[in-house]
Amino acid sequence: MKFCSTLLALSIASSFASYAEESTDIERITVSSDFRQQELMFIPASATILSDTQIESRQAQHLEDILNVGANINFASGASRGRFIQIRGIGERSQFSEPSNPSVGFLVDDFDFSGIAGVGTLFDVEQVEILRGPQATEFGASAMAGVIKVKTVDAGPEQSGKLSFSLAEQNTWSLGGAYGNAITDNLFYRVAVQQFKSDGFVENTFLNRDDTDNLDEFTSRVKLKYLPTDWLTFDLNYQYFDIDNGYDAFSLENTRESRADEPGFDRQETHALGLKTEINTELTDVFIILSQSDSDMGYSYDEDWTYVGFHPDEYSSVDSYFRERDTDNIDIRLLSNDNSTLFNGTTQWLFGLYSKSMDESLLRQYTYADGDFTSQYQQDNVAVYSQVDTQLTDTLSLRLGLRADRFEIDYRDISGFSQSNDKTLVGGKAVLDYSIDSASVYASVSRGYKAAGFNPNERVSEQRRIYQPEYNWNYEVGVKGNLINYDAFIRMAVFYMDREDTQVNDYDVQTRADGSATFIDIIGNADTGTNWGYELETGWQANDSIYLHANFGWLDATFEDYTLADGSVVDKQDQAQAPNYTFNIGANVQLSEQISWSIDADGKDEYRFSDGHDEKSPSYVLVNTAVRFDVQDWSCSVWVKNVFDRTYYVRGFGGFNNDPREGYATPEPYYQLGDGRQVGISAQYSF
């Protein structure tokens, strides 16, 4: 299959060369996630770049509002936001007592927020970058499946600013402002502040409130760029997030009407400070990236979803988790320049040292626990990495990357359980890239990895306490090209992933004395996992007024030989959160000089919610549309999300019954519903 894919890619690339003509008016999209900034069309990886125009067109406040545009991307909620992300079927779906062990890296600029993507707000964002497949050389263990980076607008010498406002149903509104300018000839700044609020789509009939599943998100940042000399640059970046969302999403009848007497919350307050120093010497370019972040997080839910007095056989329970996470990162990179390339200027090189220290404390307060549960988790990570890029011929290049990560993990909790783990994990990539004027073809082998871990819940049996590291081998062939006078493009990748010791997220259902169910999250290892498929992205400027675009992903993801918590053995099963197909299609139409119209549709096939039960999300298609008016420096949009008010689910559970009226007897499915139709208006003044 790989050989056939390579031949197909080469033939397509040749056809691009015959169709394309040289053009000087081309939008060049640059990817910042790589070590060296590179054009999207020539980066040898499957990547999606979501621009600020796309973000504004979809009225995207948070990352969850725009992820469906990307092929083979999915997310799970079980919180106020869909902050658990899967790429090509790999990624976490929740976090409770266990320490975070993410498969998908998440960054805001140079800040690593992997595992805590609640801060994925999108105000004053330049672009969102999605890289699919293992990115171990650049990002280490947190990017075994891929990485998502939110690139915010930098400070610069030119004056630029904006004021934005939006108003929509569900008492939804936002107000934001951003401004940047030069203080002196070599000192620039940018400031951005936004407040977003919404009552949400849930009505709590017991409390007679419609804001128990609300959103309350404050985003702010200050950036400074200082150029004291022509060879030295300092970038200072401070960001503050205050997320104070409600969480009241489940009901016994799977509707948007809640009966919870103690609705939950989903909070995160984060301070992040970073300094990036660039030193351009005669022989090397040196980058020193220092970052520090402190996050206080709170997550709580009403476990019974009802109120005291609802039924004689009721139970009443609240489960709350409070985390404090402190993270320090140091990344030092040496990159070759024109004076230090090797082999007669054909080979670029880089070398890096990385250190990360994360300290996370947890307080869990649970109605049925004898007392508060506390734990302390310390992870120290030191890595070395290197990459060389060799130009073999005028059109053929070879990229080799390698990274070795040393993990030291220490854990202890109030139950007396403690665990230490020292492990060195190695990953990297080999990429062969063939590039011509209008297209590129690449073939790659990459290896990602994910650290080992443990199940801290004291009710987990000793033999299931520890689970092993996972490795992910990814074999990929891709082709990218422009055609029809550069009015159209196509980007396609075919991949095959071979996962070793696949980490599977399972849970055990235990029965209390009153017959109600209680749950234990369990992570274990299946022998193997196989994820294969393809991604296709294309766009076409049909004429001066019409632009058409389509993204499509196909995925087949399974794991084999795993013993579930209930003792049953899975010979082979579809992986959770891995729909067979995903797509996004749409059009942008310029109706007149001032008026434009956009419409797009997101679709997903059905998929399992969990590896531990059989409940599935049905397939669905969501349509969004907007009409935009532009008058000088003003723009105004009237928009509709989920135009046809489709019912869809962002989280689901099964294998138990939570209804005392049914004696907690027959297992039922329970769903968290996605947002319904919403109509709104937005305005922005740019200056």
Side-chain angles (χ1 to χ4, degrees):
M1 184 187 77
K2 303 185 190 72
F3 178 70
C4 293
S5 300
T6 304
L7 291 179
L8 175 62
L10 288 170
S11 64
I12 294 175
S14 300
S15 69
F16 289 153
S18 64
Y19 277 113
E21 297 178 4
E22 193 63 35
S23 172
T24 58
D25 186 20
I26 307 168
E27 180 185 8
R28 301 189 182 277
I29 303 172
T30 302
V31 180
S32 68
S33 301
D34 206 357
F35 291 125
R36 289 183 171 89
Q37 291 195 3
Q38 194 169 359
E39 287 184 36
L40 173 61
M41 193 57 69
F42 295 101
I43 187 170
S46 180
T48 297
I49 306 300
L50 305 173
S51 67
D52 57 345
T53 302
Q54 290 172 286
I55 293 170
E56 292 176 11
S57 174
R58 290 176 65 98
Q59 300 299 316
Q61 162 65 23
H62 190 272
L63 195 63
E64 70 169 11
D65 298 323
I66 202 167
L67 284 177
N68 286 339
V69 174
N72 284 331
I73 309 295
N74 202 5
F75 63 87
S77 189
S80 64
R81 289 292 196 180
R83 52 189 173 91
F84 301 101
I85 303 166
Q86 302 84 41
I87 295 179
R88 294 178 173 175
I90 303 175
E92 286 58 57
R93 301 183 295 281
S94 62
Q95 183 185 16
F96 296 99
S97 296
E98 70 279 6
S100 176
N101 197 15
S103 301
V104 176
F106 174 65
L107 290 86
V108 179
D109 294 328
D110 291 316
F111 298 111
D112 186 352
F113 293 129
S114 300
I116 51 173
V119 294
T121 56
L122 297 179
F123 180 71
D124 203 38
V125 165
E126 181 180 310
Q127 61 189 31
V128 175
E129 305 175 5
I130 303 174
L131 273 65
R132 288 175 284 261
Q135 308 295 324
T137 307
E138 294 89 343
F139 301 103
S142 62
M144 187 188 74
V147 69
I148 296 175
K149 179 179 179 180
V150 174
K151 175 70 173 65
T152 67
V153 178
D154 284 329
E158 301 296 328
Q159 172 183 287
S160 67
K162 63 181 178 182
L163 296 172
S164 65
F165 171 75
S166 67
L167 186 66
E169 296 173 292
Q170 284 74 45
N171 195 26
T172 300
W173 62 270
S174 70
L175 180 64
Y179 183 74
N181 205 343
I183 300 174
T184 66
D185 290 341
N186 57 359
L187 180 61
F188 323 126
Y189 73 95
R190 179 128 185 133
V191 179
V193 179
Q194 189 211 37
Q195 176 67 63
F196 173 83
K197 289 192 174 184
S198 176
D199 286 347
F201 284 79
V202 172
E203 179 184 0
N204 189 305
T205 57
F206 175 73
L207 297 176
N208 195 26
R209 290 171 52 189
D210 58 7
D211 63 349
T212 54
D213 200 46
N214 70 305
L215 300 172
D216 183 352
E217 299 169 339
F218 178 78
T219 303
S220 63
R221 65 180 61 91
V222 178
K223 288 187 170 185
L224 293 173
K225 181 184 287 289
Y226 179 46
L227 293 78
T229 70
D230 58 0
W231 53 267
L232 181 63
T233 303
F234 295 104
D235 285 285
L236 185 67
N237 189 348
Y238 170 72
Q239 306 204 18
Y240 173 70
F241 303 89
D242 187 6
I243 311 298
D244 189 13
N245 297 341
Y247 179 46
D248 186 18
F250 284 89
S251 69
L252 297 175
E253 292 83 12
N254 292 316
T255 68
R256 292 193 178 95
E257 293 186 350
S258 166
R259 299 188 186 92
D261 55 354
E262 298 181 82
F265 50 80
D266 186 14
R267 302 167 181 161
Q268 181 173 340
E269 184 178 18
T270 294
H271 295 268
L273 180 65
L275 176 64
K276 182 177 182 179
T277 304
E278 180 179 353
I279 307 169
N280 305 119
T281 71
E282 185 177 352
L283 294 178
T284 61
D285 296 330
V286 181
F287 292 86
I288 304 172
I289 304 170
L290 309 175
S291 64
Q292 195 275 334
S293 63
D294 298 323
S295 297
D296 292 336
M297 297 167 281
Y299 172 76
S300 178
Y301 59 94
D302 188 322
E303 192 176 38
D304 56 281
W305 308 335
T306 59
Y307 54 88
V308 174
F310 173 70
H311 190 273
D313 297 330
E314 70 189 16
Y315 75 101
S316 180
S317 175
V318 174
D319 203 358
S320 304
Y321 300 81
F322 302 92
R323 279 185 168 84
E324 294 183 8
R325 176 188 290 190
D326 299 331
T327 306
D328 299 291
N329 291 274
I330 302 174
D331 196 354
I332 303 173
R333 302 174 185 170
L334 283 72
L335 285 76
S336 63
N337 57 27
D338 292 340
N339 297 323
S340 57
T341 55
L342 305 176
F343 307 113
N344 296 321
T346 62
T347 301
Q348 294 180 320
W349 56 266
L350 66 88
F351 178 79
L353 296 172
Y354 176 81
S355 174
K356 175 181 178 181
S357 178
M358 184 181 72
D359 189 358
E360 181 175 287
S361 61
L362 169 69
L363 165 64
R364 182 191 185 190
Q365 296 176 328
Y366 180 46
T367 301
Y368 282 92
D370 294 333
D372 291 348
F373 175 85
T374 60
S375 68
Q376 196 74 28
Y377 178 69
Q378 176 73 38
Q379 182 189 96
D380 293 308
N381 172 210
V382 177
V384 294
Y385 57 87
S386 182
Q387 182 173 296
V388 293
D389 293 79
T390 300
Q391 199 69 37
L392 302 175
T393 69
D394 290 341
T395 57
L396 187 65
S397 64
L398 175 66
R399 172 174 294 182
L400 299 174
L402 187 67
R403 185 183 185 109
D405 260 310
R406 178 67 177 178
F407 287 88
E408 295 183 2
I409 298 172
D410 291 296
Y411 173 88
R412 64 183 184 276
D413 62 39
I414 196 171
S415 72
F417 175 70
S418 63
Q419 180 70 31
S420 296
N421 192 342
D422 299 336
K423 192 79 173 179
T424 299
L425 305 177
V426 178
K429 60 185 174 184
V431 186
L432 199 61
D433 184 27
Y434 174 76
S435 297
I436 52 180
D437 289 340
S438 60
S440 67
V441 179
Y442 68 89
S444 67
V445 178
S446 56
R447 188 197 203 206
Y449 50 83
K450 183 177 176 182
F454 39 84
N455 295 297
N457 195 304
E458 61 271 19
R459 293 174 291 174
V460 177
S461 63
E462 284 302 317
Q463 62 267 31
R464 299 186 69 97
R465 281 278 194 166
I466 311 298
Y467 54 89
Q468 300 304 311
E470 177 181 348
Y471 288 97
N472 179 15
W473 285 95
N474 180 72
Y475 308 91
E476 185 167 318
V477 175
V479 58
K480 303 179 181 185
N482 298 297
L483 63 162
I484 315 179
N485 254 359
Y486 286 85
D487 286 332
F489 72 86
I490 186 171
R491 297 189 287 266
M492 182 177 66
V494 180
F495 63 90
Y496 180 90
M497 288 181 170
D498 185 10
R499 302 173 63 184
E500 300 175 359
D501 290 325
T502 307
Q503 292 182 12
V504 176
N505 197 317
D506 189 12
Y507 71 89
D508 191 17
V509 181
Q510 298 186 356
T511 304
R512 302 187 185 100
D514 60 6
S516 61
T518 183
F519 310 93
I520 307 171
D521 261 13
I522 299 174
I523 300 175
N525 295 98
D527 283 353
T528 60
T530 302
N531 301 47
W532 68 273
Y534 62 87
E535 288 113 16
L536 174 66
E537 299 186 346
T538 184
W540 178 35
Q541 189 71 49
N543 55 43
D544 291 341
S545 302
I546 300 175
Y547 177 74
L548 307 173
H549 60 88
N551 299 336
F552 183 81
W554 174 264
L555 177 66
D556 186 289
T558 59
F559 66 87
E560 300 179 25
D561 298 328
Y562 178 69
T563 302
L564 294 169
D566 61 9
S568 59
V569 177
V570 175
D571 293 328
K572 187 175 183 179
Q573 179 177 291
D574 290 340
Q575 294 175 24
Q577 294 291 135
N580 283 136
Y581 65 78
T582 57
F583 68 82
N584 169 263
I585 57 174
N588 300 319
V589 182
Q590 196 70 37
L591 301 175
S592 70
E593 187 175 348
Q594 287 83 29
I595 303 175
S596 59
W597 171 55
S598 64
I599 184 169
D600 68 347
D602 306 330
K604 292 181 185 178
D605 192 16
E606 66 175 17
Y607 60 87
R608 297 176 65 98
F609 284 115
S610 173
D611 298 322
H613 62 74
D614 295 327
E615 298 305 332
K616 293 183 178 182
S617 166
S619 60
Y620 63 84
V621 177
L622 304 178
V623 177
N624 309 288
T625 190
V627 176
R628 173 169 168 155
F629 306 85
D630 289 284
V631 180
Q632 295 182 343
D633 296 327
W634 285 91
S635 66
C636 179
S637 297
V638 179
W639 47 268
V640 185
K641 296 182 180 182
N642 192 0
V643 172
F644 299 106
D645 200 23
R646 298 300 190 197
T647 297
Y648 67 103
Y649 309 124
V650 293
R651 193 70 173 106
F653 298 98
F656 68 98
N657 190 304
N658 208 35
D659 195 336
R661 298 170 301 184
E662 299 175 0
Y664 306 110
T666 305
E668 296 285 348
Y670 297 106
Y671 305 116
Q672 179 179 353
L673 278 68
D675 291 347
R677 179 170 50 226
Q678 187 178 42
V679 181
I681 184 170
S682 300
Q684 180 169 291
Y685 173 61
S686 301
F687 55 94

